[in-house]
Amino acid sequence: MSQSVLILLDQAARAAFEQLGFPENFGKVTESDRPDLAPFQCNGAMAAAGFLKKQGEKANPREIATQVSEILSSNSAIADIEIAGPGFLNITPTPDAVSGRANTLFSDPRTGAQNIDPKTIVIDYGGANVAKPMHVGHLRSAVIGEAIKRLLRFRGHNVIGDVHLGDWGLQMGHLITELEDEQPDLPYFYADKAGDYPDASPVAMDDLARLYPAASRKAKEDPARMERSRAATAELQAGRPGYRALLDHFITVSIASLKKGYGSLGVEFDLWKGEACVDPLIPGMIDELRAKGITEESDGALIIRVDDESEKKDVPPVMLLASSGAVLYHTTDLATLVDRKSEIDPDLILYVVDQRQALHFEQVFRGAVKAGWYDRDQLDHLGFGTMNGKDGKPFKTREGGVLRLEDLVSMMRDAATTRLEESGIGQDFDADERADIADKVGMAALKFGDLQNQRTTNYVFDPERFTAFEGKTGPYLLYAAVRIKSLLRRAADEGVRAGEIKISHPSESALAMALDGFDRALAAAESKYAPHLVCDHVYRLAQSFSRFYTDCPILKNDVATEVKSSRLALAELTLRQLELGLNIIGIEVPERM
Ligand code: ARG
């Protein structure tokens, strides 16, 4: 059966309402609020009664519901329709309809997930800054952005992920001047020397991590020190060759280190572009904006006014050039939009960045629309809330301030190790396998702990709660998947094979219905860019499986062969869909635990 059961029933109910002279949308069928009564419901009879009353006719919703149910009772996919309360229709599909659908899902490698009309989408996420410490906003951006990227890709879109490094601000001036103080003899600092700088970097990542905070601290206390950093930044932006050569080293060194950090989180970017690489486009862009007549001089700065749109008027102008002539965050983001237009020409660009930057993006997007480069609906800022510590403030590692991805990853691994020991899971495996499991459990805990929340809410980072094997957690889902893997291994040992699915038990039916909701969950998650809906789906699936597994024995001796094969097929299908779903949210399942 090529349609989901819900869609099939929905179409039938719409046709029934239409046949009775009502707008077809009254026939909308949804998953039931009371799955204990029936898996599906339709509330259109009440709306239909209202519709008749408006036309001055007498109407009784229960009567309408009865008429609809009479029409639907001839539908071979429907086992039962009950009218409840004022006129709710509770609909139960036939076991045959459910079985047919389950077999279709089983034979589909995507377990029912449709491939949709592809768009080309750029997703801008990660957004770490060269040398500057990462904060939880960068972590969340990486985790959420990766999930949205994988979701969109799985749906069939052509998605390009760009880390968009912050590598063009004052931090570069800090690094340059601080390095100059440490090693003034390096050729990069000779004012008149052009070209011909050493290939090897004069600094390693540890140096950058040391130089930046040192300079930043000094500059905060000493205006003259700050001025040197500013001046160096301006010279860099003006193209001083030695500084440019240094910048290239800083970027290369940072990218190598970030690749490791992001890699340990399973986050991969297609593009490692940044602010610096669009610098060459800025002069031409500014000329174009001037020629279009949308720029203005204001107190020596060059701006674009963007407060002229209807819904939200009080948006401050885009700052293209500061009065010092320096380019700003707006400028590099606009130039990046120019770059993406000419290099990729995407249908859509998504920015997965901290909610606190909402105004920045509103300004940039309005600027780009005013320039005529994009339509407003091609640009979207997907903001998110903060990950807080137990003190309710943005999470910091114990040493305070600097969040290093490596520290976070090892912290999760430690919490997972403790938890595995406590629960006695996998304790008889060798050390390597135990370490691999702890890694996977830790990552699952971290990612699920984040992604299960609505993107825009703040949440409390709690390694202990996140690593629990009970409740709505990543480890619970891993355990559920691993349990099915071990069941499948035992079945293989006993020579039991998956066969045709024939639904008879209500828990089988409930599991099949949950499986049938995959495509719907993914579509809803895409429409709101909401990974938590994927989390909800996999969690619900794991719960349905667990109930099924309790109620419906598979490998017991007294179970008939076809029943074994049917149930085993449901188990295989569940595992496949669980792994697909977990992969979207960036979670990897170990072979055993
Ligand atoms: N580097 C920025 C920050 O740390 C985030 C970059 C987000 N992406 C963008 N295109 N502005 O705040």
Side-chain angles (χ1 to χ4, degrees), residues 6 25 68 70-71 147 168 240 276-277 291 299 335 358 388 406 418 423 438 445 482 526 556 559 567 576 591:
L6 173 64
N25 62 322
V68 172
E70 268 160 20
I71 297 175
W168 198 235
R240 180 167 161 168
C277 71
D299 294 330
N388 289 325
E406 300 91 289
T418 311
S423 345
V482 163
E526 172 175 348
K556 286 230 175 84
V559 179
R567 290 179 177 167
R576 226 175 333 123
E591 268 323 293

Side-chain angles (χ1 to χ4, degrees), residues 124 126-129 135 138 163-166 275 329 333 336 340 351-353 357 360-361:
D124 181 314
N129 298 315
H135 52 70
H138 294 115
V163 68
H164 196 78
L165 287 184
E275 297 165 349
Y329 191 29
D333 260 330
T336 303
R340 287 175 180 158
Y351 293 81
V352 184
V353 187
Q357 297 196 22
H360 166 79
F361 287 109

Side-chain angles (χ1 to χ4, degrees), residues 365-388:
F365 296 170
R366 286 184 180 200
V369 170
K370 214 166 171 183
W373 299 327
Y374 292 89
D375 294 333
R376 187 63 181 79
D377 63 4
Q378 288 182 284
L379 306 170
D380 210 344
H381 170 222
L382 312 182
F384 51 80
T386 333
M387 171 174 125
N388 289 325

Side-chain angles (χ1 to χ4, degrees), residues 298-352:
S298 169
D299 294 330
L302 189 69
I303 63 165
I304 306 176
R305 289 199 189 280
V306 289
D307 56 356
D308 49 2
E309 286 183 30
S310 48
E311 21 44 292
K312 195 161 172 261
K313 287 204 189 318
D314 52 349
V315 176
V318 171
M319 296 288 289
L320 286 174
L321 296 174
S323 53
S324 66
V327 307
L328 301 151
Y329 191 29
H330 284 157
T331 332
T332 51
D333 260 330
L334 273 178
T336 303
L337 280 170
V338 172
D339 183 49
R340 287 175 180 158
K341 180 102 198 162
S342 72
E343 296 292 317
I344 302 171
D345 196 17
D347 301 304
L348 181 64
I349 306 181
L350 302 172
Y351 293 81
V352 184

Side-chain angles (χ1 to χ4, degrees), residues 349-555:
I349 306 181
L350 302 172
Y351 293 81
V352 184
V353 187
D354 208 312
Q355 190 57 37
R356 285 171 300 187
Q357 297 196 22
L359 179 61
H360 166 79
F361 287 109
E362 186 60 36
Q363 292 169 291
V364 170
F365 296 170
R366 286 184 180 200
V369 170
K370 214 166 171 183
W373 299 327
Y374 292 89
D375 294 333
R376 187 63 181 79
D377 63 4
Q378 288 182 284
L379 306 170
D380 210 344
H381 170 222
L382 312 182
F384 51 80
T386 333
M387 171 174 125
N388 289 325
K390 284 186 183 153
D391 57 1
K393 300 199 190 104
F395 176 82
K396 297 187 164 156
T397 50
R398 217 168 320 139
E399 306 74 47
V402 191
L403 171 83
R404 293 186 26 205
L405 289 182
E406 300 91 289
D407 295 344
L408 191 81
V409 169
S410 65
M411 189 171 160
M412 292 309 299
R413 188 191 303 120
D414 292 348
T417 307
T418 311
R419 186 64 83 165
L420 287 160
E421 279 164 9
E422 273 170 18
S423 345
I425 295 176
Q427 294 307 301
D428 45 346
F429 302 161
D430 68 34
D432 281 353
E433 188 171 356
R434 282 207 312 271
D436 177 62
I437 291 171
D439 272 338
K440 292 190 166 120
V441 170
M443 272 305 102
L446 176 74
K447 291 183 180 173
F448 199 85
D450 185 304
L451 294 171
Q452 67 150 305
N453 304 289
Q454 269 201 37
R455 182 161 48 74
T456 47
T457 56
N458 301 339
Y459 73 95
V460 174
F461 174 67
D462 183 348
E464 238 169 87
R465 191 164 59 81
F466 291 178
T467 50
F469 280 96
E470 300 87 42
K472 196 173 178 183
T473 67
Y476 166 77
L477 289 162
L478 289 192
Y479 198 72
V482 163
R483 205 151 74 123
I484 306 178
K485 287 193 182 188
S486 97
L487 162 71
L488 298 183
R489 277 194 297 268
R490 263 185 296 131
D493 287 347
E494 293 180 21
V496 180
R497 281 215 201 116
E500 198 192 337
I501 299 171
K502 287 203 190 104
I503 301 289
S504 59
H505 194 284
S507 298
E508 293 174 330
S509 184
L511 174 59
M513 292 293 119
L515 287 159
D516 198 17
F518 191 39
D519 188 58
R520 242 178 353 261
L522 297 183
E526 172 175 348
S527 75
K528 296 184 191 144
Y529 305 113
H532 79 274
L533 296 176
V534 181
C535 294
D536 288 351
H537 178 79
V538 288
Y539 180 61
R540 178 178 160 201
L541 183 60
Q543 283 185 308
S544 303
F545 182 82
S546 159
R547 216 158 302 134
F548 155 80
Y549 198 42
T550 309
D551 295 347
C552 304
I554 303 181
L555 297 179

